[in-house]
Amino acid sequence: MSEIHIAAFQQEDIVEIIDLFYGTVQEVNRADYSEAAIAAWAPVEEKENVLKEWKDSFLKNKTFVARMQGQVVGFIDIRADGYLDRLYVHKDKQRLGIASALLMQIEEWGRREEIPFIWTFSSITAKGFFERYGFEVIEKENVERKDVLLTRFKMKKMLIEE
């Protein structure tokens, strides 16, 4: 296996990141979500808007990008309030430790910044991963996207013990 290199987000990464997101949702999340849910989650017709919106939010958030042999294979971003917004790994690079390495990077950063906890909305697909890393389910909910209900889990992990 080749080595995982993690670095801060660079604007030139954005096209590769958006392609990774769409490919992963359409392939990996298909096991847990319907075609309609996938289409609502990653609407192909909105790809250009997503690219612009995400670039702006990646610049505001703390964002890390994982590469293997020069290829973007994963990304993660977190807001200053501890909200882990996105964590995705390339559809062809699942189960290689990429998500774990990205999460560890964010947790390290969060502790340095004295963020007491990280919270996120996890997909059904990612729930087990987050639980293995100490996240607890706060609540299960359904959110509506384009007239389709998507199941997700609000999850939280303490970084600094109270």
Side-chain angles (χ1 to χ4, degrees):
M1 184 181 102
S2 54
E3 201 175 320
I4 302 165
H5 297 280
I6 298 176
F9 168 74
Q10 303 294 316
Q11 291 190 49
E12 56 269 16
D13 296 333
I14 193 65
V15 171
E16 227 176 324
I17 285 172
I18 297 300
D19 287 345
L20 181 155
F21 163 73
Y22 276 88
T24 298
V25 170
Q26 290 164 356
E27 294 291 324
V28 176
N29 298 99
R30 184 171 307 286
D32 299 302
Y33 292 91
S34 68
E35 284 291 325
I38 297 291
W41 184 351
V44 178
E45 70 279 3
E46 293 178 18
K47 200 169 181 179
E48 284 303 312
N49 291 342
V50 169
L51 195 141
K52 183 189 177 329
E53 288 170 19
W54 282 25
K55 184 166 84 172
D56 292 345
S57 70
F58 284 151
L59 292 170
K60 285 184 197 128
N61 296 352
K62 187 64 177 177
T63 307
F64 292 104
V65 177
R67 293 180 177 279
M68 291 172 78
Q69 298 174 321
Q71 176 192 11
V72 172
V73 293
F75 64 94
I76 191 169
D77 70 311
I78 188 170
R79 292 190 320 217
D81 67 355
Y83 173 58
L84 192 163
D85 194 356
R86 291 162 284 226
L87 170 57
Y88 288 92
V89 172
H90 192 286
K91 65 183 177 65
D92 299 329
K93 303 292 184 184
Q94 300 287 307
R95 305 201 185 289
L96 297 178
I98 297 163
S100 302
L102 286 164
L103 184 60
M104 295 304 102
Q105 190 83 31
I106 284 292
E107 287 187 16
E108 246 177 62
W109 175 83
R111 286 186 185 94
R112 277 196 313 272
E113 296 295 312
E114 298 182 350
I115 294 172
F117 60 87
I118 294 176
W119 61 285
T120 193
F121 290 106
S122 172
S123 66
I124 296 167
T125 313
K127 179 178 172 271
F129 167 81
F130 283 114
E131 287 175 328
R132 281 191 300 281
Y133 284 92
F135 282 76
E136 295 178 20
V137 174
I138 305 301
E139 67 179 318
K140 177 181 178 181
E141 63 181 31
N142 290 309
V143 292
E144 191 176 317
R145 298 277 188 277
K146 298 182 174 284
D147 299 323
V148 178
L149 287 181
L150 298 172
T151 298
R152 67 183 188 180
F153 301 88
K154 185 174 184 180
M155 300 183 81
K156 177 179 169 180
K157 178 180 182 176
M158 297 305 297
L159 291 183
I160 300 169
E161 293 308 314
E162 299 172 312

